[in-house]
Amino acid sequence: MKSLLVASAALYLGSLRRPIFLAAVLVELGYLASRGITLGRLPLIGPQDTLAFFSCSIGLMALPFIFAGQLREENRFPWSCGILAGFFALLAFPFPTLNMPLPPVLDTYWFELHVALAFFAYGLFGVAALLGGFFLRGAGRPLLDLQYRAALVGYSFFSLSMVSGGIWGYYAWGTYWLWTPKELWTSILWLFYSMYLHLRVKGQEWDRAFAWLGICGFFVALFTYLGVSMLMRSSHSF
């Protein structure tokens, strides 16, 4: 089964053409589907499954932008998205596979919705960061508009993830909020993108700052996902 994960990573890393990138997404979806059938649930527990889900989220969320008219002649963008998705697919490979049922505290659709929406948001924040990088390299202002759209949709997903996470928390622990590092950094990430999206109304003189902050925001998202899980004690660790 892990061979599908390796195959998807190889396709991502070689996705100099859009059909190759699409094939990589389909192969990784096949891997996650096989994991889901084996487990009887979404594969959202443990480093390997979450990293693979994150990688696939990047691929899925990148597809509308890869085929956007503004990027039709830009073959480096699919490859950049492939490098990002492939990196996390390879990062997932060394971790052991956890084949276990969900603990009772996680055995609810609210948990699965919460985590899936968060990863879709992280994927869009990653795509937005890449678009900002291409803009800074002189690719043109239309890419900044795409960066804004990617971040806005990601922000919407993340907001819904916070709502569903609060509902899950109420069912699991009897409260909508716990003062854990994960929840604090989730709030920081949400506030960061709230500020970032409002910066767009400042005008063209803020374009480069907007692009750079979009890149910084993805690193905040990575710390919220990986940094907190690896460096801090939290009930949300992986």
Side-chain angles (χ1 to χ4, degrees):
M1 194 182 299
K2 276 190 174 182
S3 60
L4 289 176
L5 185 61
V6 175
S8 68
L11 288 168
Y12 277 131
L13 296 176
S15 55
L16 294 172
R17 293 291 184 269
R18 286 162 177 79
I20 300 176
F21 186 91
L22 180 59
V25 174
L26 292 175
V27 171
E28 194 164 36
L29 280 173
Y31 168 75
L32 291 175
S34 65
R35 287 285 296 143
I37 291 169
T38 299
L39 297 169
R41 57 172 173 81
L42 288 178
L44 297 172
I45 299 294
Q48 185 192 99
D49 284 342
T50 58
L51 284 165
F53 198 93
F54 181 31
S55 170
C56 193
S57 296
I58 294 171
L60 282 172
M61 297 301 111
L63 285 176
F65 299 92
I66 284 174
F67 290 97
Q70 298 94 318
L71 290 162
R72 189 170 297 142
E73 303 301 323
E74 184 56 82
N75 287 324
R76 292 174 300 170
F77 184 70
W79 184 61
S80 299
C81 292
I83 291 291
L84 187 62
F87 170 76
F88 288 106
L90 288 176
L91 196 61
F93 185 74
F95 289 100
T97 301
L98 300 181
N99 296 318
M100 63 181 188
L102 284 175
V105 74
L106 305 181
D107 193 11
T108 167
Y109 290 119
W110 289 111
F111 165 75
E112 293 184 330
L113 181 64
H114 163 64
V115 177
L117 287 172
F119 279 121
F120 293 160
Y122 295 158
L124 282 161
F125 294 155
V127 173
L130 291 175
L131 288 165
F134 273 78
F135 169 79
L136 291 169
R137 290 176 61 86
R141 201 165 189 273
L143 267 68
L144 205 64
D145 296 329
L146 288 178
Q147 183 188 29
Y148 175 79
R149 294 174 193 174
L152 179 60
V153 178
Y155 176 81
S156 301
F157 280 151
F158 198 68
S159 299
L160 291 172
S161 172
M162 292 179 71
V163 172
S164 57
I167 297 172
W168 161 52
Y170 180 79
Y171 282 114
W173 297 293
T175 179
Y176 294 103
W177 179 266
L178 293 171
W179 291 97
T180 66
K182 192 74 163 187
E183 284 163 300
L184 289 174
W185 274 95
T186 293
S187 300
I188 290 170
L189 180 61
W190 187 85
L191 290 171
F192 179 94
Y193 275 97
S194 298
M195 176 275 295
Y196 168 75
L197 292 169
H198 280 86
L199 188 65
R200 191 75 170 98
V201 303
K202 297 288 285 185
Q204 293 189 14
E205 65 272 15
W206 285 82
D207 281 357
R208 291 187 66 82
F210 184 82
W212 274 113
L213 284 172
I215 295 171
C216 293
F218 182 54
F219 286 99
V220 178
L222 286 179
F223 186 82
T224 302
Y225 164 40
L226 291 173
V228 172
S229 296
M230 293 188 296
L231 302 176
M232 302 179 186
R233 293 184 63 183
S234 174
S235 59
H236 283 72
S237 297
F238 293 116

